[in-house]
Amino acid sequence: GAVVSQHPSRVICKSGTSVKIECRSLDFQATTMFWYRQFPKQSLMLMATSNEGSKATYEQGVEKDKFLINHASLTLSTLTVTSAHPEDSSFYICSARSQGAGVSYGYTFGSGTRLTVV
Amino acid sequence: GESVGLHLPTLSVQEGDNSIINCAYSNSASDYFIWYKQESGKGPQFIIDIRSNMDKRQGQRVTVLLNKTVKHLSLQIAATQPGDSAVYFCADLPLQGAQKLVFGQGTRLTINP
């Protein structure tokens, strides 16, 4: 089945530094990847949609200069949290959609990255 | 689903009992609905899906019911087991337009021994 690998699973960084999170589709090509953010005891909130080779589309209220998304290949998308602050601490989850897949099973989620900014 | 950032409602059931988890959606153009299970510290895991031209679909120990009239979706889990303890989310997709999964509020299911 489709597998999405997300790395790292946990990261602690200091305020003001940047952190990069990787999302890889291991056995399929993902034309579209999605990045979500989840606060404790809350639902997943879509941050942005990235399409291979083009700029990401950000949801309203998400700072594109703070959350840099790159989708340079069909198997890799990265989310960089720039100048991180404690309020950026959250659980970040990526999802990849395979090209040509039926809607069922088309969306596969990574295991998430717990970011803690101190 | 429409997530409004509220804290998760909870549902506690006895092991072996059936569970029913509910979800309301607001987009009448939604064509496809998915239920996900999320265990602590992990990403969502696909459980079952249903298209808008159906009102019921069954899987292994799970059944999804769709009522388009009232924009309501439910997930029934039969004979719950300790491993069913998790947070359950519904998500929906429109027939047309951007194919972005939008998640509902979620429900935390706790199985009591």
Side-chain angles (χ1 to χ4, degrees), chain A residues 84-100:
Chain A
H85 290 284
E87 57 264 31
D88 298 324
S89 298
S90 189
F91 193 54
Y92 293 87
I93 307 169
C94 71
S95 174
R97 187 179 182 202
S98 53
Q99 183 179 18

Side-chain angles (χ1 to χ4, degrees), chain A residues 37-57:
Chain A
R37 182 175 183 176
Q38 186 178 32
F39 290 109
K41 298 185 179 181
Q42 293 189 18
S43 186
L44 284 77
M45 298 295 292
L46 181 65
M47 299 174 65
T49 302
S50 72
N51 293 296
E52 185 264 338
S54 62
K55 289 185 178 180
T57 302

Side-chain angles (χ1 to χ4, degrees), chain A residues 10 32 34 36 38 40-46 49 57 59 91 93-95 97 103-112 114, chain B residues 3-8 32 34 36 38 41-46 49 51 57 87 89 93 99-106 108:
Chain A
R10 290 177 175 271
T32 306
F34 305 88
Y36 291 83
Q38 186 178 32
K41 298 185 179 181
Q42 293 189 18
S43 186
L44 284 77
M45 298 295 292
L46 181 65
T49 302
T57 302
E59 295 300 301
F91 193 54
I93 307 169
C94 71
S95 174
R97 187 179 182 202
V103 182
S104 301
Y105 309 102
Y107 296 84
T108 304
F109 287 83
S111 54
R114 173 75 59 195
Chain B
S3 171
V4 295
L6 299 176
H7 281 210
L8 297 172
Y32 175 64
I34 314 173
Y36 287 95
Q38 186 182 28
K42 297 182 179 180
Q45 176 186 2
F46 174 93
D49 58 0
R51 299 212 72 130
R57 191 172 187 207
V87 178
F89 294 97
L93 273 175
Q99 294 294 291
K100 304 184 293 187
L101 273 181
V102 176
F103 281 78
Q105 184 180 17
R108 179 175 299 280

Side-chain angles (χ1 to χ4, degrees), chain A residues 2-3 14 18 21 23 28-29 40 58 66 78 80 91 94 115:
Chain A
V3 178
K14 293 184 178 180
S18 295
I21 302 170
C23 181
F28 66 99
Q29 293 184 327
Y58 291 81
K66 180 165 188 63
T78 60
T80 301
F91 193 54
C94 71
L115 171 62

Side-chain angles (χ1 to χ4, degrees), chain B residues 26-95:
Chain B
S26 59
N27 187 357
S28 57
S30 291
D31 175 61
Y32 175 64
F33 305 86
I34 314 173
W35 279 100
Y36 287 95
K37 173 185 180 182
Q38 186 182 28
E39 296 175 292
S40 181
K42 297 182 179 180
Q45 176 186 2
F46 174 93
I47 301 174
I48 191 168
D49 58 0
I50 189 169
R51 299 212 72 130
S52 61
N53 61 352
M54 303 170 68
D55 54 19
K56 181 179 180 180
R57 191 172 187 207
Q58 288 185 294
Q60 187 177 13
R61 282 203 306 121
V62 294
T63 300
V64 55
L65 299 178
L66 174 63
N67 185 330
K68 294 181 289 294
T69 302
V70 295
K71 298 190 182 67
H72 183 267
L73 197 64
S74 70
L75 175 70
Q76 300 178 3
I77 304 174
T80 52
Q81 304 168 357
D84 294 329
S85 292
V87 178
Y88 290 82
F89 294 97
C90 66
D92 65 272
L93 273 175
L95 178 61

